């Protein structure tokens, strides 16, 4: 039996629903209509992200074999991005990312021979790298091709590869260009009020994006390169307009990397990352030169010369044009056990860096001239069973704000004092329980538990203890690493799993003002957290072929408590004001539930936070916040996807006796009407109201609607240089906003409608 549900929402109906008190009546109707289609998007703080691999340490893979990394859940935009390193090379861009997997097709860049390691990092938006998984990878050495024969039934040789090898002497020779040329135009626009109309009228323009990838292989020699360019006909949309203004080129080099490899020796020119020493140089990303080579069977050396900031553009091609704006460094590693790489490894690193007040191309700021020099030592260890793992390091660095005439402006400025400071860390993990099964599976032909293929899924229990310590001296700073100075932190964490149930609990203690200066505030912070995530159906069945009950959701719960208080009352400095001495406790709790049916996805999330201010004179400065979120997804057919979301937030400020309520709901429709045509629509509306002592003081409403139609034409050929695609789009946008504040007598209304069209031509 088919069920057909028609949901008709028009701009007029939405605006009517958003009127007070219609703001509360409309969403109730919408919830009743769509309560069967609620989708939950997994909250990043609830379930720890885990990664598994398709390969095993004891089973070698071939250099051209595809490897896969599988994720336990999707990655949220707020968490950042994933980075994958094979050995010491960042190969993230070569992994094809899907919903819950990352595949590396090693035909584009064969895997390095021998034993290496695949490391997966979670890179936060603030560029903090966190190792979440590492897997030993064993690659079998490539065998020589068998001699040719002319026997009957032999497969024909690859004529193209044979011709390339004959003419150029390469085993592999590939060039893959790509060009995307876009034309856009905003041909109509209406605004209210007219005073909001900008000086620039609706305009048209062109954009271009291009890339060139090459790969050449001859015996053990390999060369890969990639060059990416972007351009725009509008000067204010060019890549370096923020830094060069009208002098910015309209077509610019956005990124490039050229890599030469001979066996285990490697040379990289262009944009890359370097360093794994946390406090000296840690995943420093810029344009420059990197050289890596083994020195015997156990020792390896890496050298780097880079620009001190991330740059783009054709000029300063190697990034080393300015001698006072460069980073020089190196790392020397030694493996104690040659037959077991990673069992015990020692590394030493060195850095000599200059920094001038030249910011990244996409960042605007004023910086002091800086100079840092430092040395670091690092030790990595793990036992043969990999139950115990240790990563520890020590850094001693000298830093000074060098004299900068541009900032001094001829004034008499007291020069900064050069300081030498230390930093250290130690991260240890031990698997207390590893792959423990409470009961052995029974395989019989009688009335015992029997499943197909003679296997019964047995839940296994794992429990890992993580201990972390970090101390960074006051005034410590290194140009090659982002480090918080004046910090002492200790953390204990338990991470476990039982089948598909995952949990973690931890406690962290840290403080600043390590020198104990009596005129500076010292804050002690204590953080306790707990998180649990599990599918309920997994708790009621131990059979691998058991049909899960779809009415049992996947649930998650997270709890966090943070207490920050002053260690002592500073002498002087104006700390005698009410609330100047901090004493605050924050509690955050979250609960999520998810249901997955055949074509319907349902979910709900609740978040509660409470900020308890206990500082003298500010006892009533407390904040309490409740957030209810429900989302829905429905795929009535393969070509149609409907998503609905509703969010309600209630925030209470006890000190000001004010309550703010916000209601938001949105609808997203994606319809692939035909093979060439698609239609995308997005509707979202937000209504908020503020109360003070039960009286309304302000309210606002915002409405956004976008509708886009796409039509594509494609022509493909076996020859990669004869592929062509054109995509035409027509877009309509509607923006409506109204804000009223009764005490201040404010009543503002704005409207904006735009029509855009354009076409993209994609070659190759």
């Amino acid at each position: 039996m088919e069920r057909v549900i028609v949901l008709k929402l028009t701009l007029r109906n939405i605006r009517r629903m958003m009127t007070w008190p219609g703001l509360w009546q409309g969403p109730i109707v919408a919830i009743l209509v769509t309560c069967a289609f609620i989708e939950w998007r997994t909250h990043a703080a609830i379930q720890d992200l885990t990664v598994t691999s398709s390969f095993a340490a004891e089973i070698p893979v071939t250099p051209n074999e595809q490897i896969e990394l599988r994720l336990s859940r999707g990655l949220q935009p707020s968490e950042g991005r994933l980075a994958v390193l094979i050995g010491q090379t960042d190969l993230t861009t070569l992994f094809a990312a899907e919903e819950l997997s990352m595949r590396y097709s090693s035909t584009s860049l064969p895997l390095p021979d021998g034993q290496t390691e695949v490391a997966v990092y979670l890179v936060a938006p603030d560029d903090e790298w966190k190792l979440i998984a590492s897997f030993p990878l064993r690659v079998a050495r490539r065998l020589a091709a068998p001699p040719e024969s002319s026997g009957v039934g032999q497969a024909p040789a690859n004529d193209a590869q044979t011709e390339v090898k004959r003419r150029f002497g390469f085993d592999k020779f590939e060039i893959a260009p790509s060009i995307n040329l876009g034309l856009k135009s905003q041909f109509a626009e209406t605004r209210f009020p007219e005073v909001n109309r900008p000086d620039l009228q609706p305009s048209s323009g062109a954009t271009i994006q291009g890339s060139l990838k090459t790969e050449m292989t001859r015996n053990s020699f390999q060369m890969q390169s990639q060059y990416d360019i972007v351009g725009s006909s509008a000067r204010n949309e060019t890549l370096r307009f923020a830094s060069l203004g009208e002098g910015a080129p309209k077509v610019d080099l956005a990124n490039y990397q050229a890599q030469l490899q001979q066996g285990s020796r490697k040379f990289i020119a262009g944009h890359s990352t370097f360093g794994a020493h946390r406090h000296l140089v840690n995943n420093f990303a810029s344009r420059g030169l990197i050289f890596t080579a083994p020195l015997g069977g156990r020792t390896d050396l890496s050298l780097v010369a880079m620009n001190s900031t991330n740059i783009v553009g054709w000029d300063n091609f190697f990034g080393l044009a300015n001698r006072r704006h460069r980073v020089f460094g190196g790392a020397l590693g030694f493996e104690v056990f040659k037959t077991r790489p990673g069992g015990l490894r020692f590394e030493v690193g060195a850095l000599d860096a200059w920094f001038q007040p030249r910011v990244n191309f996409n960042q605007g700021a004023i910086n002091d001239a800086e100079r840092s020099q430092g040395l670091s030592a690092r030790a990595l260890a793990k036992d043969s069973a990999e139950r115990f793992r240790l990563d520890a390091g020590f850094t001693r660095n000298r830093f000074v704000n060098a004299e900068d005439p541009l900032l001094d402006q001829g004034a008499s400025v007291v020069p900064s004092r050069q300081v030498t400071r230390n930093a250290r860390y130690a991260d240890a993990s031990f698997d207390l329980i590893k792959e423990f099964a409470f009961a052995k599976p029974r395989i019989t032909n009688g009335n015992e538990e029997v499943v197909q293929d003679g296997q019964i899924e047995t839940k296994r229990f794992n429990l890992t203890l993580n201990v972390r310590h970090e101390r960074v001296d006051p005034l410590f700073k290194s140009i090659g690493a982002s480090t918080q100075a004046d910090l002492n932190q200790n953390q204990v964490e338990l991470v476990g799993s039982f089948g598909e149930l995952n949990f973690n609990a931890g406690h962290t203690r840290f403080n600043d003002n390590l020198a104990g200066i009596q005129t500076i505030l010292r804050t002690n912070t204590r953080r306790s957290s707990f998180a649990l995530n599990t599918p309920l159906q997994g708790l009621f069945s131990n059979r691998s072929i058991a049909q899960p009950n779809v009415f049992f959701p996947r649930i998650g719960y997270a709890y966090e408590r943070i207490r920050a208080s002053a260690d002592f009352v500073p002498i002087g400095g104006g700390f005698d004001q009410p609330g100047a001495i901090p004493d605050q406790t924050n509690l955050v709790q979250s609960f999520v539930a998810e249901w997955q049916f055949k074509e319907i996805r349902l979910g709900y999330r609740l978040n509660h936070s409470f900020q308890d201010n206990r500082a003298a004179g500010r006892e009533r400065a407390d904040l309490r916040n409740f957030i209810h979120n429900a989302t829905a997804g429905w795929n009535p057919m393969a070509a149609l996807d409907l998503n609905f979301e509703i969010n309600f937030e209630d925030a209470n400020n006890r000190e000001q006796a004010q309550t703010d309520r916000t209601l938001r709901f949105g609808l997203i429709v994606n319809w692939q009407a035909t093979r060439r045509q698609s239609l995308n629509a997005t509707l979202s509306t937000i209504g908020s109201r503020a109360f003070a002592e039960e009286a309304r003081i302000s309210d606002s409403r915002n409405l956004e609607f976008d509708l886009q139609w796409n039509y594509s034409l494609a022509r493909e050929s076996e020859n990669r240089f004869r592929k062509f695609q054109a995509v035409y789009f027509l877009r309509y946008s509607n923006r409506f906003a109204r804000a009223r504040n009764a005490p201040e007598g404010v009543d503002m209304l704005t409207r904006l409608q735009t029509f855009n069209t354009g076409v993209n031509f994609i070659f190759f």
Side-chain angles (χ1 to χ4, degrees):
M1 181 181 64
E2 295 185 356
R3 292 170 296 177
V4 180
I5 298 180
V6 180
L7 180 61
K8 182 178 180 181
L9 297 176
T10 64
L11 293 178
R12 182 176 181 182
N13 293 335
I14 294 300
R15 291 176 179 173
R16 183 181 302 168
M17 292 163 60
M18 291 301 298
T19 58
W20 300 95
L23 175 62
W24 310 111
Q25 298 173 354
I28 295 177
V29 176
I31 294 174
L32 295 176
V33 174
T34 60
C35 63
F37 315 113
I38 305 177
E39 171 193 22
W40 166 69
R41 296 171 184 165
T42 308
H43 192 266
I46 302 305
Q47 179 187 8
D48 281 349
L49 180 64
T50 58
V51 183
T52 57
S53 65
S54 63
F55 52 89
E58 63 278 2
I59 302 177
V61 300
T62 63
N64 293 324
E65 184 175 338
Q66 178 176 276
I67 62 175
E68 180 182 4
L69 301 174
R70 293 180 289 270
L71 311 180
S72 61
R73 60 171 175 82
L75 191 65
Q76 300 296 319
S78 59
E79 296 180 85
R81 61 182 177 88
L82 291 179
V84 183
L85 275 68
I86 299 182
Q88 295 185 350
T89 306
D90 188 349
L91 298 178
T92 308
T93 56
L94 297 182
F95 278 81
E98 297 181 0
E99 184 176 358
L100 293 177
S101 69
M102 300 175 67
R103 291 187 176 89
Y104 178 73
S105 179
S106 52
T107 56
S108 60
L109 178 61
L111 297 170
D113 296 342
Q115 186 81 16
T116 185
E117 186 178 66
V118 178
V120 183
Y121 291 85
L122 179 62
V123 185
D126 59 356
D127 203 34
E128 179 183 355
W129 289 56
K130 177 183 178 182
L131 180 65
I132 59 175
S134 63
F135 310 98
L137 176 65
R138 182 181 173 190
V139 182
R141 297 188 180 275
R142 280 167 279 186
L143 302 177
E148 297 181 359
S149 63
S150 57
V152 178
Q154 179 184 4
N158 189 321
D159 295 337
Q161 291 292 340
T162 303
E163 179 66 15
V164 168
K165 185 174 181 179
R166 184 184 68 81
R167 296 181 59 184
F168 302 100
F170 289 100
D171 299 328
K172 186 176 183 180
F173 187 94
E174 291 186 356
I175 299 178
S178 176
I179 298 178
N180 187 331
L181 177 63
L183 303 175
K184 60 180 181 178
S185 173
Q186 181 174 311
F187 61 88
E189 175 185 298
T190 62
R191 287 179 179 269
F192 178 84
E194 286 294 328
V195 294
N196 292 334
R197 183 176 298 276
D199 296 334
L200 296 177
Q201 298 299 318
S203 60
S204 60
T207 61
I208 184 173
Q209 296 181 2
S211 68
L212 177 65
K213 299 180 182 179
T214 66
E215 180 179 356
M216 306 173 189
T217 302
R218 182 176 182 181
N219 298 328
S220 61
F221 174 79
Q222 301 175 16
M223 182 175 72
Q224 299 87 27
S225 65
Q226 177 173 344
Y227 301 86
D228 300 320
I229 63 170
V230 296
S232 175
S233 61
R235 187 79 64 178
N236 61 344
E237 297 178 357
T238 56
L239 194 60
R240 288 188 287 171
F241 177 78
S243 56
L244 300 180
E246 293 299 325
K250 292 188 175 182
V251 179
D252 220 340
L253 179 65
N255 176 78
Y256 88 94
Q257 185 183 92
Q259 178 175 298
L260 305 176
Q261 184 171 351
Q262 176 74 34
S264 300
R265 294 180 293 273
K266 186 184 302 181
F267 175 77
I268 299 176
H271 293 82
S272 187
T273 59
F274 179 83
H277 290 231
R278 182 178 301 180
H279 298 119
L280 184 68
V281 53
N282 187 20
N283 292 293
F284 185 80
S286 187
R287 179 188 290 183
L289 307 175
I290 299 177
F291 176 74
T292 303
L295 303 177
R298 300 183 181 182
T299 309
D300 55 84
L301 174 67
S302 298
L303 301 174
V304 63
M306 282 185 168
N307 195 276
S308 294
T309 51
N310 198 0
I311 60 174
V312 296
W314 304 101
D315 51 346
N316 198 1
F317 189 76
F318 294 107
L320 306 177
N322 188 342
R323 66 183 185 89
R324 290 298 183 96
H325 195 66
R326 296 185 296 200
V327 172
F328 294 97
L332 181 67
F334 177 74
E335 293 282 354
V336 177
F337 306 117
K338 185 176 181 179
T339 58
R340 189 164 58 88
L344 182 59
R345 176 180 173 86
F346 295 101
E347 296 180 359
V348 293
L351 180 73
D352 185 3
W354 286 87
F355 180 90
Q356 294 294 323
R358 301 180 180 182
V359 298
N360 295 340
F361 71 96
N362 58 351
Q363 175 187 4
I366 298 178
N367 299 285
D368 293 334
E370 300 173 353
R371 175 80 188 277
S372 70
Q373 297 173 302
L375 296 172
S376 65
R378 185 187 183 198
L380 299 98
K382 58 184 177 182
D383 63 347
S384 57
E386 297 189 10
R387 299 191 64 166
F388 173 76
R389 300 167 295 278
L390 174 67
D391 182 1
F394 174 82
T395 301
R396 185 169 179 82
N397 190 74
R398 181 170 57 188
F399 178 85
V400 63
N401 285 113
E403 182 181 358
D404 184 3
L406 182 63
L407 294 180
D408 295 347
Q409 295 291 314
S412 178
V413 179
V414 178
S416 300
R417 183 170 59 91
Q418 182 175 278
V419 295
T420 301
R421 295 292 186 265
N422 301 329
R424 67 174 186 260
Y425 76 94
D427 297 344
S429 299
F430 182 71
D431 295 332
L432 302 175
I433 302 175
K434 188 174 183 179
E435 297 296 321
F436 177 77
F438 289 95
K440 296 182 178 180
R442 294 178 297 174
I443 310 297
T444 66
N445 294 324
N447 296 324
E448 302 293 339
E449 294 179 326
V450 179
V451 297
Q452 294 179 354
D453 299 328
Q455 296 180 356
I456 295 181
E457 181 184 2
T458 302
K459 296 183 178 66
R460 299 188 180 275
F461 182 63
N462 295 276
L463 186 63
T464 301
L465 173 66
N466 298 321
V467 180
R468 302 183 179 93
H469 166 74
E470 183 177 12
R471 178 188 170 93
V472 185
D473 285 349
L475 302 180
F476 178 93
K477 186 175 182 180
S478 173
I479 295 177
S482 299
T483 303
Q484 180 181 347
D486 200 8
L487 172 71
N488 184 64
Q489 178 173 285
N490 297 283
Q491 181 181 8
V492 178
E493 183 183 39
L494 279 174
V495 180
S497 64
F498 178 63
E500 293 186 335
L501 184 149
N502 300 284
F503 65 90
N504 66 77
H507 180 72
T508 305
R509 304 169 67 91
F510 62 93
N511 65 272
D512 54 5
N513 192 9
L514 304 187
I517 301 175
Q518 294 299 308
T519 57
I520 299 178
L521 182 67
R522 173 171 175 168
T523 304
N524 296 327
T525 304
R526 306 292 181 258
R527 176 182 180 271
S528 299
S529 63
F530 173 78
L532 173 71
N533 185 279
T534 181
L536 291 184
Q537 58 265 31
L539 298 180
F540 300 99
S541 173
N542 66 343
R543 296 188 176 187
S544 60
I545 65 169
Q547 183 68 26
N549 191 329
V550 295
F551 292 100
F552 285 130
R554 172 181 286 275
I555 64 170
Y557 172 76
Y559 170 85
E560 181 182 60
R561 182 181 187 272
I562 300 177
R563 172 75 184 276
S565 59
D567 189 64
F568 56 83
V569 179
I571 301 174
F575 289 97
D576 53 350
Q577 300 296 324
I581 304 301
D583 188 357
Q584 181 175 297
T585 300
N586 292 339
L587 296 175
V588 179
Q589 299 183 78
S590 299
F591 172 79
V592 296
E594 176 190 21
W595 291 264
Q596 178 68 57
F597 300 94
K598 288 184 178 180
E599 68 277 355
I600 300 174
R601 304 177 301 274
L602 311 174
Y604 170 76
R605 177 169 65 91
L606 170 66
N607 181 276
H608 169 243
S609 61
F610 176 59
Q611 177 180 307
D612 184 10
N613 199 331
R614 305 176 182 180
R618 295 293 307 279
E619 291 84 354
R620 291 183 55 83
D622 299 337
L623 301 175
R624 187 184 298 273
N625 198 343
F626 279 95
I627 300 177
H628 301 268
N629 178 268
T631 52
W634 182 35
N635 295 101
M637 59 185 69
L640 182 61
D641 183 33
L642 303 175
N643 294 277
F644 179 79
E645 178 180 6
I646 185 169
N647 189 91
F648 173 71
E649 179 176 356
D650 184 277
N652 180 266
N653 187 320
R654 182 184 176 189
E655 184 178 39
Q656 299 180 3
Q658 179 174 322
T659 300
D660 296 276
R661 296 191 178 100
T662 303
L663 180 65
R664 175 190 180 275
F665 66 91
L667 177 67
I668 300 177
V669 180
N670 297 308
W671 180 31
Q672 189 69 38
T674 66
R675 186 172 63 90
R676 299 182 183 277
Q677 300 183 72
S678 63
L679 190 67
N680 310 102
T682 302
L683 173 67
S684 65
T685 179
I686 302 176
S688 63
R689 174 172 287 183
F691 300 88
E693 298 179 352
E694 302 301 327
R696 185 184 70 180
I697 57 176
S698 67
D699 63 78
S700 65
R701 289 184 290 129
N702 292 273
L703 175 67
E704 297 184 358
F705 176 72
D706 293 284
L707 180 65
Q708 179 168 316
W709 173 71
N710 301 283
Y711 186 86
S712 63
L713 289 172
R715 179 180 181 274
E716 295 188 4
S717 172
E718 293 183 359
N719 188 333
R720 69 175 57 185
F721 298 106
R722 295 182 180 176
K723 294 182 179 179
F724 170 77
Q725 183 179 3
V727 179
Y728 174 78
F729 71 88
L730 181 63
R731 183 185 304 125
Y732 166 74
S733 297
N734 187 307
R735 301 291 185 266
F736 171 87
R738 183 162 192 172
R740 290 179 290 188
N741 189 309
E744 299 179 4
V746 176
D747 191 347
M748 298 178 58
L749 174 64
T750 59
R751 296 191 182 97
L752 172 64
Q753 297 184 82
T754 59
F755 291 88
N756 295 271
T757 186
V759 60
N760 287 339
F761 299 99
I762 303 173
F763 302 92
F764 311 125

